[in-house]
Amino acid sequence: MRSDNVTKGMQQAPHRSLFNALGYTREELDKPLIGIVSSHNEIVPGHMNLDKIVEAVKMGVAMAGGTPIVFPAIAVCDGIAMGHTGMKYSLVTRDLICDSTECMALAHQFDALVMVPNCDKNVPGLLMAAARLNIPTIFVSGGPMLAGHVKGQKRSLSSMFEAVGSYAAGAMSAEDVEEFENKVCPTCGSCSGMYTANSMNCLTEAIGMGLKGNGTIPAVYSERIKLAKHAGMKIMELLEKDIKPRDIMNEKAFLNALAVDMALGCSTNSMLHLPAIAHEAGVELNLDIANEISARTPNLCHLAPAGPTYMEDLNEAGGVYAVMNELDKKGLLYTDLITATGRTVKENIAGCENKNPEVIRPVDNPYSETGGIAVLKGNLAPDSGVVKRSAVAPEMLVHEGPARVFDCEEDAIDAIKGGKIVAGDVVVIRYEGPKGGPGMREMLNPTSAIAGMGLGASVALITDGRFSGASRGASIGHVSPEAAVGGPIALVEEGDIIAINIPENTLDMKVSQEELEARRARWQPREPKITSGYLARYANLVTSGNTGAILKNHL
């Protein structure tokens, strides 16, 4: 056992004395030491219940013969961080979470790990750590929030942000906004639509690192506690069988995750996180393959913000395994892969039938024959741009319009709420990429303002930053190369005609090559926005959005 390095032998007597100081008995030190990575805190709604999940995991580990030991991981609430400088500190925590977990796990020589995340960056950050450490690991999240109810309709956080836009347009009263404020987030848990947190928790099932229901069982259901106990017990089986993350997260598993991503209509942020996780697992996940998988994978779900259904509905319909079972009917998954259940994908999904064809469309009657995410390329995005195709109004799948150019999110929001953006416009927000931001802010505020003002079916938004999983509409993010390194998005000028063709996967500006070359000759790099602290170090090391915004291993 790895933990023998801190518990066994005469040379480890000083180590044992420190365990004695912690109150551990000799009997506990004779068992495998199982690290439980707890993302619990009191500022993130999706994490406030994780203390209960952790206690259940500890019980499961102890019941199965291990010694559970808890240590923490940080977490940022993207909703609270949204729309101000705090959002610069969201994506960047993914690497802090990964690095700090590596430090804790190796410094203390844990034999195995149970990861307890829930929200946007914790799930991918801990998946990255699992792949990097490659010791037996299983995931159990805190679960999704229940949907709110406003005026007889189910609602969620995206509705709240759009209500602010409606108020700015004079279409909603302050009293109406207050009702949304008080009702859209009724419980703890990760926000109730197919936003980034729930996308990544569902994909944790799809990739094989979590048990059935990990992505969909609501946070407030007692079934979630039972799931956590089973995860605690299951880690002991994985340790005994020596099933490690890289045995599970191989190339075919990532292709399965992409297929499920397309079927569910996950957040575009999955196109940042899956390549980063794959990188840690030693797998090259080129985003070019995303369109290949999308071309053959039908979109089966329209959860909020793409449609009127929510995570609780997906759970009742059979969850992720039911979606995977639909996909398997057309041979769209690799089913012989081992998973954290100790069984293969095929064994996992056997008998997991679709219980509600209105929530999970049958594979022969999909919302569309192609997947929920598209990767676009063209002279505006030579490397790539990403859009949640399933949340785009049909009339905006092909669009041309004049560029309205802004060098930061705040200026764009002021213009939108000031009525300066009109139908047909293409809002371009640049210098918000991983390096230029720095931190690649999510931009739920501008997309929600557009939707709230009734322009969601007539205005597109393009950025080298990111869009929240709660964003809907023709919102194209991750444009690479980013403006800060001289990507073509830095060369766009007010009034340039931008051509978007999502079915053809293209994103271009109608400017001649000669004119672009002249603009490039005039372009000058900008001074860094932040020159000290963690963000400055991050900006120096981070790579482009199309590579997953991973950090370079060298200066």
Side-chain angles (χ1 to χ4, degrees), residues 88 430-440 464 482-485 527-530 539 542:
K88 295 178 184 290
R430 61 191 180 188
Y431 293 99
E432 291 284 8
K435 189 178 292 290
M440 203 178 189
D464 53 7
E482 62 174 294
V485 298
E527 290 295 319
K529 294 177 183 176
I530 295 175
V542 72

Side-chain angles (χ1 to χ4, degrees), residues 115-136:
M115 306 295 200
V116 187
N118 207 26
C119 289
D120 296 34
K121 308 311 165 304
N122 288 75
V123 183
L126 291 178
L127 282 167
M128 289 165 65
R132 184 186 296 178
L133 289 163
N134 202 34
I135 62 176

Side-chain angles (χ1 to χ4, degrees), residues 236-249:
M236 300 308 295
E237 178 186 334
L238 296 178
L239 178 61
E240 180 184 358
K241 294 180 177 179
D242 195 30
I243 298 174
K244 298 187 288 291
R246 292 193 189 185
D247 299 323
I248 297 169
M249 291 192 287

Side-chain angles (χ1 to χ4, degrees), residues 90-131:
S90 172
L91 178 62
V92 302
T93 64
R94 186 185 70 181
D95 297 277
L96 285 174
I97 292 160
C98 176
D99 292 347
S100 61
T101 302
E102 174 195 359
C103 292
M104 289 294 288
L106 295 182
H108 303 103
Q109 294 292 284
F110 290 106
D111 296 304
L113 297 172
V114 181
M115 306 295 200
V116 187
N118 207 26
C119 289
D120 296 34
K121 308 311 165 304
N122 288 75
V123 183
L126 291 178
L127 282 167
M128 289 165 65

Side-chain angles (χ1 to χ4, degrees), residues 144-177:
M145 184 184 292
L146 293 179
H149 292 264
V150 182
K151 301 185 188 305
Q153 292 185 311
K154 284 186 177 182
R155 298 291 189 176
S156 62
L157 184 64
S158 56
S159 306
M160 180 72 255
F161 276 87
E162 290 178 13
V164 175
S166 295
Y167 175 78
M172 188 175 285
S173 69
E175 290 74 21
D176 287 333
V177 173

Side-chain angles (χ1 to χ4, degrees), residues 25 29 88 222 253 438 480:
T25 66
L29 297 185
K88 295 178 184 290
S222 298
S480 302

